[in-house]
Each structure stands twice: as C-alpha cells, then as structure tokens.
PDB file of all heavy atoms in Angstrom:
ATOM      1  N   TRP V 132     108.957-113.107  74.622  1.00 80.00           N
ATOM      2  CA  TRP V 132     108.557-111.946  75.410  1.00 80.00           C
ATOM      3  C   TRP V 132     109.758-111.180  75.901  1.00 80.00           C
ATOM      4  O   TRP V 132     109.724-109.926  75.999  1.00 80.00           O
ATOM      5  CB  TRP V 132     107.642-112.365  76.585  1.00 80.00           C
ATOM      6  CG  TRP V 132     106.310-112.744  76.059  1.00 80.00           C
ATOM      7  CD1 TRP V 132     105.705-113.961  76.151  1.00 80.00           C
ATOM      8  CD2 TRP V 132     105.375-111.915  75.329  1.00 80.00           C
ATOM      9  NE1 TRP V 132     104.506-113.956  75.525  1.00 80.00           N
ATOM     10  CE2 TRP V 132     104.260-112.722  75.022  1.00 80.00           C
ATOM     11  CE3 TRP V 132     105.408-110.601  74.897  1.00 80.00           C
ATOM     12  CZ2 TRP V 132     103.162-112.196  74.329  1.00 80.00           C
ATOM     13  CZ3 TRP V 132     104.316-110.083  74.200  1.00 80.00           C
ATOM     14  CH2 TRP V 132     103.217-110.888  73.922  1.00 80.00           C
ATOM     15  N   VAL V 133     110.836-111.835  76.249  1.00 85.00           N
ATOM     16  CA  VAL V 133     112.055-111.123  76.657  1.00 85.00           C
ATOM     17  C   VAL V 133     112.534-110.261  75.494  1.00 85.00           C
ATOM     18  O   VAL V 133     112.823-109.057  75.681  1.00 85.00           O
ATOM     19  CB  VAL V 133     113.160-112.092  77.091  1.00 85.00           C
ATOM     20  CG1 VAL V 133     114.513-111.394  77.266  1.00 85.00           C
ATOM     21  CG2 VAL V 133     112.758-112.789  78.399  1.00 85.00           C
ATOM     22  N   ASP V 134     112.583-110.804  74.284  1.00 80.00           N
ATOM     23  CA  ASP V 134     112.997-110.020  73.137  1.00 80.00           C
ATOM     24  C   ASP V 134     111.991-108.909  72.828  1.00 80.00           C
ATOM     25  O   ASP V 134     112.401-107.758  72.581  1.00 80.00           O
ATOM     26  CB  ASP V 134     113.163-110.937  71.906  1.00 80.00           C
ATOM     27  CG  ASP V 134     113.627-110.117  70.692  1.00 80.00           C
ATOM     28  OD1 ASP V 134     112.777-109.514  70.024  1.00 80.00           O
ATOM     29  OD2 ASP V 134     114.833-110.098  70.444  1.00 80.00           O
ATOM     30  N   TYR V 135     110.724-109.234  72.891  1.00 81.00           N
ATOM     31  CA  TYR V 135     109.703-108.252  72.541  1.00 81.00           C
ATOM     32  C   TYR V 135     109.778-107.006  73.432  1.00 81.00           C
ATOM     33  O   TYR V 135     109.691-105.875  72.971  1.00 81.00           O
ATOM     34  CB  TYR V 135     108.306-108.865  72.656  1.00 81.00           C
ATOM     35  CG  TYR V 135     107.169-107.951  72.329  1.00 81.00           C
ATOM     36  CD1 TYR V 135     106.850-107.674  70.989  1.00 81.00           C
ATOM     37  CD2 TYR V 135     106.446-107.312  73.332  1.00 81.00           C
ATOM     38  CE1 TYR V 135     105.816-106.791  70.667  1.00 81.00           C
ATOM     39  CE2 TYR V 135     105.427-106.422  73.026  1.00 81.00           C
ATOM     40  CZ  TYR V 135     105.120-106.167  71.696  1.00 81.00           C
ATOM     41  OH  TYR V 135     104.098-105.296  71.408  1.00 81.00           O
ATOM     42  N   PHE V 136     109.950-107.209  74.754  1.00 85.00           N
ATOM     43  CA  PHE V 136     109.992-106.092  75.664  1.00 85.00           C
ATOM     44  C   PHE V 136     111.379-105.436  75.813  1.00 85.00           C
ATOM     45  O   PHE V 136     111.472-104.353  76.363  1.00 85.00           O
ATOM     46  CB  PHE V 136     109.463-106.511  77.037  1.00 85.00           C
ATOM     47  CG  PHE V 136     107.966-106.717  77.024  1.00 85.00           C
ATOM     48  CD1 PHE V 136     107.418-107.959  77.292  1.00 85.00           C
ATOM     49  CD2 PHE V 136     107.116-105.650  76.784  1.00 85.00           C
ATOM     50  CE1 PHE V 136     106.048-108.119  77.307  1.00 85.00           C
ATOM     51  CE2 PHE V 136     105.739-105.823  76.783  1.00 85.00           C
ATOM     52  CZ  PHE V 136     105.206-107.074  77.035  1.00 85.00           C
ATOM     53  N   THR V 137     112.424-106.075  75.274  1.00 86.00           N
ATOM     54  CA  THR V 137     113.768-105.439  75.401  1.00 86.00           C
ATOM     55  C   THR V 137     114.204-104.808  74.074  1.00 86.00           C
ATOM     56  O   THR V 137     114.650-103.694  74.075  1.00 86.00           O
ATOM     57  CB  THR V 137     114.803-106.433  75.884  1.00 86.00           C
ATOM     58  OG1 THR V 137     114.841-107.578  74.994  1.00 86.00           O
ATOM     59  CG2 THR V 137     114.491-106.908  77.298  1.00 86.00           C
ATOM     60  N   SER V 138     114.090-105.556  72.967  1.00 82.00           N
ATOM     61  CA  SER V 138     114.565-105.004  71.692  1.00 82.00           C
ATOM     62  C   SER V 138     113.508-104.935  70.629  1.00 82.00           C
ATOM     63  O   SER V 138     113.662-104.256  69.654  1.00 82.00           O
ATOM     64  CB  SER V 138     115.760-105.833  71.186  1.00 82.00           C
ATOM     65  OG  SER V 138     115.298-107.113  70.765  1.00 82.00           O
ATOM     66  N   ALA V 139     112.429-105.701  70.771  1.00 77.00           N
ATOM     67  CA  ALA V 139     111.303-105.764  69.832  1.00 77.00           C
ATOM     68  C   ALA V 139     111.739-106.233  68.441  1.00 77.00           C
ATOM     69  O   ALA V 139     111.048-105.899  67.460  1.00 77.00           O
ATOM     70  CB  ALA V 139     110.573-104.446  69.781  1.00 77.00           C
ATOM     71  N   GLU V 140     112.822-106.972  68.343  1.00 78.00           N
ATOM     72  CA  GLU V 140     113.213-107.529  67.048  1.00 78.00           C
ATOM     73  C   GLU V 140     112.217-108.578  66.547  1.00 78.00           C
ATOM     74  O   GLU V 140     112.189-108.863  65.353  1.00 78.00           O
ATOM     75  CB  GLU V 140     114.623-108.099  67.130  1.00 78.00           C
ATOM     76  CG  GLU V 140     115.690-107.040  67.241  1.00 78.00           C
ATOM     77  CD  GLU V 140     117.108-107.606  67.227  1.00 78.00           C
ATOM     78  OE1 GLU V 140     117.270-108.707  66.694  1.00 78.00           O
ATOM     79  OE2 GLU V 140     117.963-106.952  67.790  1.00 78.00           O
ATOM     80  N   VAL V 141     111.449-109.157  67.439  1.00 80.00           N
ATOM     81  CA  VAL V 141     110.449-110.160  67.037  1.00 80.00           C
ATOM     82  C   VAL V 141     109.164-109.536  66.494  1.00 80.00           C
ATOM     83  O   VAL V 141     108.318-110.229  65.984  1.00 80.00           O
ATOM     84  CB  VAL V 141     110.121-111.154  68.165  1.00 80.00           C
ATOM     85  CG1 VAL V 141     111.350-111.984  68.514  1.00 80.00           C
ATOM     86  CG2 VAL V 141     109.579-110.426  69.368  1.00 80.00           C
ATOM     87  N   ALA V 142     109.023-108.243  66.646  1.00 83.00           N
ATOM     88  CA  ALA V 142     107.826-107.562  66.159  1.00 83.00           C
ATOM     89  C   ALA V 142     107.856-107.494  64.659  1.00 83.00           C
ATOM     90  O   ALA V 142     108.781-106.973  64.050  1.00 83.00           O
ATOM     91  CB  ALA V 142     107.729-106.151  66.751  1.00 83.00           C
ATOM     92  N   ALA V 143     106.825-108.043  64.028  1.00 86.00           N
ATOM     93  CA  ALA V 143     106.762-108.099  62.551  1.00 86.00           C
ATOM     94  C   ALA V 143     106.459-106.754  61.933  1.00 86.00           C
ATOM     95  O   ALA V 143     106.853-106.480  60.807  1.00 86.00           O
ATOM     96  CB  ALA V 143     105.752-109.136  62.111  1.00 86.00           C
ATOM     97  N   VAL V 144     105.762-105.889  62.652  1.00 87.00           N
ATOM     98  CA  VAL V 144     105.349-104.567  62.172  1.00 87.00           C
ATOM     99  C   VAL V 144     105.559-103.570  63.290  1.00 87.00           C
ATOM    100  O   VAL V 144     105.121-103.799  64.405  1.00 87.00           O
ATOM    101  CB  VAL V 144     103.837-104.589  61.760  1.00 87.00           C
ATOM    102  CG1 VAL V 144     103.405-103.245  61.263  1.00 87.00           C
ATOM    103  CG2 VAL V 144     103.600-105.626  60.682  1.00 87.00           C
ATOM    104  N   PRO V 145     106.201-102.444  63.025  1.00 84.00           N
ATOM    105  CA  PRO V 145     106.422-101.444  64.098  1.00 84.00           C
ATOM    106  C   PRO V 145     105.238-100.504  64.336  1.00 84.00           C
ATOM    107  O   PRO V 145     105.382 -99.541  65.079  1.00 84.00           O
ATOM    108  CB  PRO V 145     107.634-100.655  63.539  1.00 84.00           C
ATOM    109  CG  PRO V 145     107.468-100.719  62.050  1.00 84.00           C
ATOM    110  CD  PRO V 145     106.886-102.076  61.785  1.00 84.00           C
ATOM    111  N   ALA V 146     104.074-100.796  63.799  1.00 88.00           N
ATOM    112  CA  ALA V 146     102.900 -99.941  63.935  1.00 88.00           C
ATOM    113  C   ALA V 146     102.245-100.107  65.300  1.00 88.00           C
ATOM    114  O   ALA V 146     102.294-101.180  65.923  1.00 88.00           O
ATOM    115  CB  ALA V 146     101.901-100.249  62.858  1.00 88.00           C
ATOM    116  N   ARG V 147     101.566 -99.040  65.762  1.00 91.00           N
ATOM    117  CA  ARG V 147     100.908 -99.034  67.048  1.00 91.00           C
ATOM    118  C   ARG V 147      99.801-100.099  67.125  1.00 91.00           C
ATOM    119  O   ARG V 147      99.625-100.737  68.159  1.00 91.00           O
ATOM    120  CB  ARG V 147     100.289 -97.626  67.315  1.00 91.00           C
ATOM    121  CG  ARG V 147      99.460 -97.563  68.575  1.00 91.00           C
ATOM    122  CD  ARG V 147     100.286 -97.627  69.839  1.00 91.00           C
ATOM    123  NE  ARG V 147      99.437 -97.581  71.002  1.00 91.00           N
ATOM    124  CZ  ARG V 147      99.357 -98.547  71.902  1.00 91.00           C
ATOM    125  NH1 ARG V 147     100.153 -99.586  71.847  1.00 91.00           N
ATOM    126  NH2 ARG V 147      98.556 -98.442  72.921  1.00 91.00           N
ATOM    127  N   TRP V 148      99.023-100.315  66.065  1.00 94.00           N
ATOM    128  CA  TRP V 148      97.938-101.306  66.083  1.00 94.00           C
ATOM    129  C   TRP V 148      98.499-102.735  66.305  1.00 94.00           C
ATOM    130  O   TRP V 148      97.844-103.546  66.959  1.00 94.00           O
ATOM    131  CB  TRP V 148      97.077-101.266  64.809  1.00 94.00           C
ATOM    132  CG  TRP V 148      97.853-101.417  63.514  1.00 94.00           C
ATOM    133  CD1 TRP V 148      98.393-100.428  62.742  1.00 94.00           C
ATOM    134  CD2 TRP V 148      98.162-102.662  62.866  1.00 94.00           C
ATOM    135  NE1 TRP V 148      99.027-100.977  61.645  1.00 94.00           N
ATOM    136  CE2 TRP V 148      98.913-102.364  61.687  1.00 94.00           C
ATOM    137  CE3 TRP V 148      97.897-103.989  63.167  1.00 94.00           C
ATOM    138  CZ2 TRP V 148      99.368-103.319  60.824  1.00 94.00           C
ATOM    139  CZ3 TRP V 148      98.375-104.955  62.266  1.00 94.00           C
ATOM    140  CH2 TRP V 148      99.098-104.619  61.122  1.00 94.00           C
ATOM    141  N   TYR V 149      99.710-102.974  65.794  1.00 89.00           N
ATOM    142  CA  TYR V 149     100.315-104.272  65.966  1.00 89.00           C
ATOM    143  C   TYR V 149     100.780-104.453  67.409  1.00 89.00           C
ATOM    144  O   TYR V 149     100.542-105.487  68.031  1.00 89.00           O
ATOM    145  CB  TYR V 149     101.465-104.456  65.009  1.00 89.00           C
ATOM    146  CG  TYR V 149     102.181-105.800  65.120  1.00 89.00           C
ATOM    147  CD1 TYR V 149     101.704-106.931  64.527  1.00 89.00           C
ATOM    148  CD2 TYR V 149     103.364-105.887  65.891  1.00 89.00           C
ATOM    149  CE1 TYR V 149     102.357-108.157  64.658  1.00 89.00           C
ATOM    150  CE2 TYR V 149     104.006-107.133  66.030  1.00 89.00           C
ATOM    151  CZ  TYR V 149     103.471-108.234  65.402  1.00 89.00           C
ATOM    152  OH  TYR V 149     104.124-109.445  65.544  1.00 89.00           O
ATOM    153  N   THR V 150     101.478-103.439  67.942  1.00 88.00           N
ATOM    154  CA  THR V 150     101.972-103.559  69.293  1.00 88.00           C
ATOM    155  C   THR V 150     100.832-103.564  70.299  1.00 88.00           C
ATOM    156  O   THR V 150     100.925-104.232  71.352  1.00 88.00           O
ATOM    157  CB  THR V 150     102.988-102.468  69.637  1.00 88.00           C
ATOM    158  OG1 THR V 150     102.377-101.169  69.424  1.00 88.00           O
ATOM    159  CG2 THR V 150     104.229-102.577  68.820  1.00 88.00           C
ATOM    160  N   ALA V 151      99.754-102.880  70.009  1.00 92.00           N
ATOM    161  CA  ALA V 151      98.581-102.932  70.921  1.00 92.00           C
ATOM    162  C   ALA V 151      98.008-104.348  70.993  1.00 92.00           C
ATOM    163  O   ALA V 151      97.675-104.833  72.080  1.00 92.00           O
ATOM    164  CB  ALA V 151      97.477-101.971  70.469  1.00 92.00           C
ATOM    165  N   PHE V 152      97.983-105.040  69.882  1.00 91.00           N
ATOM    166  CA  PHE V 152      97.506-106.429  69.866  1.00 91.00           C
ATOM    167  C   PHE V 152      98.457-107.320  70.624  1.00 91.00           C
ATOM    168  O   PHE V 152      98.037-108.101  71.485  1.00 91.00           O
ATOM    169  CB  PHE V 152      97.339-106.926  68.424  1.00 91.00           C
ATOM    170  CG  PHE V 152      96.953-108.357  68.318  1.00 91.00           C
ATOM    171  CD1 PHE V 152      95.678-108.748  68.574  1.00 91.00           C
ATOM    172  CD2 PHE V 152      97.878-109.314  67.931  1.00 91.00           C
ATOM    173  CE1 PHE V 152      95.336-110.092  68.485  1.00 91.00           C
ATOM    174  CE2 PHE V 152      97.553-110.638  67.843  1.00 91.00           C
ATOM    175  CZ  PHE V 152      96.252-111.037  68.100  1.00 91.00           C
ATOM    176  N   GLU V 153      99.754-107.200  70.333  1.00 89.00           N
ATOM    177  CA  GLU V 153     100.754-108.053  71.022  1.00 89.00           C
ATOM    178  C   GLU V 153     100.782-107.812  72.521  1.00 89.00           C
ATOM    179  O   GLU V 153     100.996-108.720  73.314  1.00 89.00           O
ATOM    180  CB  GLU V 153     102.103-107.888  70.382  1.00 89.00           C
ATOM    181  CG  GLU V 153     102.287-108.444  69.008  1.00 89.00           C
ATOM    182  CD  GLU V 153     102.091-109.948  68.931  1.00 89.00           C
ATOM    183  OE1 GLU V 153     102.449-110.662  69.909  1.00 89.00           O
ATOM    184  OE2 GLU V 153     101.600-110.424  67.907  1.00 89.00           O
ATOM    185  N   ASN V 154     100.591-106.559  72.923  1.00 89.00           N
ATOM    186  CA  ASN V 154     100.646-106.199  74.349  1.00 89.00           C
ATOM    187  C   ASN V 154      99.458-106.789  75.120  1.00 89.00           C
ATOM    188  O   ASN V 154      99.495-106.800  76.368  1.00 89.00           O
ATOM    189  CB  ASN V 154     100.655-104.704  74.540  1.00 89.00           C
ATOM    190  CG  ASN V 154     101.964-104.079  74.149  1.00 89.00           C
ATOM    191  OD1 ASN V 154     102.982-104.755  74.103  1.00 89.00           O
ATOM    192  ND2 ASN V 154     101.967-102.790  73.899  1.00 89.00           N
ATOM    193  N   SER V 155      98.459-107.328  74.459  1.00 92.00           N
ATOM    194  CA  SER V 155      97.333-107.935  75.150  1.00 92.00           C
ATOM    195  C   SER V 155      97.555-109.421  75.469  1.00 92.00           C
ATOM    196  O   SER V 155      96.757-110.034  76.121  1.00 92.00           O
ATOM    197  CB  SER V 155      96.069-107.765  74.294  1.00 92.00           C
ATOM    198  OG  SER V 155      96.182-108.529  73.097  1.00 92.00           O
ATOM    199  N   PHE V 156      98.715-109.980  75.073  1.00 91.00           N
ATOM    200  CA  PHE V 156      98.974-111.409  75.257  1.00 91.00           C
ATOM    201  C   PHE V 156      99.752-111.847  76.480  1.00 91.00           C
ATOM    202  O   PHE V 156      99.638-113.017  76.898  1.00 91.00           O
ATOM    203  CB  PHE V 156      99.669-111.961  74.006  1.00 91.00           C
ATOM    204  CG  PHE V 156      98.704-112.298  72.904  1.00 91.00           C
ATOM    205  CD1 PHE V 156      98.334-111.325  72.007  1.00 91.00           C
ATOM    206  CD2 PHE V 156      98.190-113.554  72.782  1.00 91.00           C
ATOM    207  CE1 PHE V 156      97.470-111.616  70.969  1.00 91.00           C
ATOM    208  CE2 PHE V 156      97.300-113.877  71.756  1.00 91.00           C
ATOM    209  CZ  PHE V 156      96.950-112.905  70.851  1.00 91.00           C
ATOM    210  N   PRO V 157     100.610-111.049  77.102  1.00 92.00           N
ATOM    211  CA  PRO V 157     101.465-111.598  78.172  1.00 92.00           C
ATOM    212  C   PRO V 157     100.743-112.306  79.291  1.00 92.00           C
ATOM    213  O   PRO V 157     101.182-113.364  79.763  1.00 92.00           O
ATOM    214  CB  PRO V 157     102.236-110.367  78.670  1.00 92.00           C
ATOM    215  CG  PRO V 157     102.288-109.487  77.477  1.00 92.00           C
ATOM    216  CD  PRO V 157     100.977-109.676  76.786  1.00 92.00           C
ATOM    217  N   ILE V 158      99.654-111.770  79.777  1.00 94.00           N
ATOM    218  CA  ILE V 158      98.936-112.432  80.885  1.00 94.00           C
ATOM    219  C   ILE V 158      98.353-113.766  80.463  1.00 94.00           C
ATOM    220  O   ILE V 158      98.481-114.785  81.177  1.00 94.00           O
ATOM    221  CB  ILE V 158      97.884-111.502  81.508  1.00 94.00           C
ATOM    222  CG1 ILE V 158      98.595-110.313  82.178  1.00 94.00           C
ATOM    223  CG2 ILE V 158      97.014-112.259  82.518  1.00 94.00           C
ATOM    224  CD1 ILE V 158      97.667-109.261  82.703  1.00 94.00           C
ATOM    225  N   ALA V 159      97.754-113.787  79.275  1.00 94.00           N
ATOM    226  CA  ALA V 159      97.176-115.036  78.765  1.00 94.00           C
ATOM    227  C   ALA V 159      98.285-116.050  78.500  1.00 94.00           C
ATOM    228  O   ALA V 159      98.107-117.257  78.804  1.00 94.00           O
ATOM    229  CB  ALA V 159      96.363-114.779  77.507  1.00 94.00           C
ATOM    230  N   ASP V 160      99.389-115.634  77.948  1.00 92.00           N
ATOM    231  CA  ASP V 160     100.504-116.519  77.730  1.00 92.00           C
ATOM    232  C   ASP V 160     101.087-117.038  79.035  1.00 92.00           C
ATOM    233  O   ASP V 160     101.503-118.204  79.148  1.00 92.00           O
ATOM    234  CB  ASP V 160     101.611-115.839  76.905  1.00 92.00           C
ATOM    235  CG  ASP V 160     101.300-115.798  75.405  1.00 92.00           C
ATOM    236  OD1 ASP V 160     100.240-116.325  75.014  1.00 92.00           O
ATOM    237  OD2 ASP V 160     102.116-115.233  74.680  1.00 92.00           O
ATOM    238  N   ALA V 161     101.125-116.181  80.056  1.00 93.00           N
ATOM    239  CA  ALA V 161     101.623-116.605  81.372  1.00 93.00           C
ATOM    240  C   ALA V 161     100.687-117.649  81.951  1.00 93.00           C
ATOM    241  O   ALA V 161     101.163-118.644  82.567  1.00 93.00           O
ATOM    242  CB  ALA V 161     101.715-115.429  82.274  1.00 93.00           C
ATOM    243  N   TRP V 162      99.381-117.497  81.743  1.00 96.00           N
ATOM    244  CA  TRP V 162      98.408-118.485  82.229  1.00 96.00           C
ATOM    245  C   TRP V 162      98.644-119.819  81.545  1.00 96.00           C
ATOM    246  O   TRP V 162      98.688-120.888  82.165  1.00 96.00           O
ATOM    247  CB  TRP V 162      96.988-118.019  82.004  1.00 96.00           C
ATOM    248  CG  TRP V 162      95.965-119.064  82.242  1.00 96.00           C
ATOM    249  CD1 TRP V 162      95.241-119.756  81.308  1.00 96.00           C
ATOM    250  CD2 TRP V 162      95.569-119.622  83.529  1.00 96.00           C
ATOM    251  NE1 TRP V 162      94.383-120.676  81.930  1.00 96.00           N
ATOM    252  CE2 TRP V 162      94.611-120.606  83.269  1.00 96.00           C
ATOM    253  CE3 TRP V 162      95.937-119.365  84.827  1.00 96.00           C
ATOM    254  CZ2 TRP V 162      94.019-121.339  84.289  1.00 96.00           C
ATOM    255  CZ3 TRP V 162      95.346-120.105  85.837  1.00 96.00           C
ATOM    256  CH2 TRP V 162      94.386-121.071  85.560  1.00 96.00           C
ATOM    257  N   MET V 163      98.852-119.789  80.216  1.00 95.00           N
ATOM    258  CA  MET V 163      99.114-121.011  79.488  1.00 95.00           C
ATOM    259  C   MET V 163     100.412-121.660  79.966  1.00 95.00           C
ATOM    260  O   MET V 163     100.466-122.877  80.172  1.00 95.00           O
ATOM    261  CB  MET V 163      99.245-120.705  77.964  1.00 95.00           C
ATOM    262  CG  MET V 163      99.525-121.914  77.161  1.00 95.00           C
ATOM    263  SD  MET V 163     100.021-121.520  75.463  1.00 95.00           S
ATOM    264  CE  MET V 163     101.488-120.538  75.766  1.00 95.00           C
ATOM    265  N   ALA V 164     101.456-120.877  80.197  1.00 94.00           N
ATOM    266  CA  ALA V 164     102.723-121.422  80.651  1.00 94.00           C
ATOM    267  C   ALA V 164     102.580-122.029  82.073  1.00 94.00           C
ATOM    268  O   ALA V 164     103.108-123.101  82.318  1.00 94.00           O
ATOM    269  CB  ALA V 164     103.785-120.337  80.633  1.00 94.00           C
TER     270      ALA V 164
END
C-alpha cells in the first residue's frame, strides 16, 4: 500500500478500472491486519 499510493509501481495495469478495484481494498486490508 505504501508503494501503491506513492509510486504505483505495484499496479499491474494503469487503467482506471484496475485502480478503482484496488482502491476498494485498503479498509478491508486494514481490518485483516
């Protein structure tokens, strides 16, 4: 998440549909952590 929100080098696809999906995960991942 640090990389994703700072440089996005971990993003496999630079398309909006991909980032929209990935942007829906931080709260759920935080709950898991």
Side-chain angles (χ1 to χ4, degrees):
W132 289 117
V133 169
D134 182 277
Y135 180 81
F136 287 116
T137 58
S138 69
E140 289 184 25
V141 295
V144 179
R147 174 72 182 121
W148 57 268
Y149 179 83
T150 56
F152 176 75
E153 289 297 327
N154 287 341
S155 66
F156 277 87
I158 293 173
D160 281 359
W162 171 253
M163 180 193 59

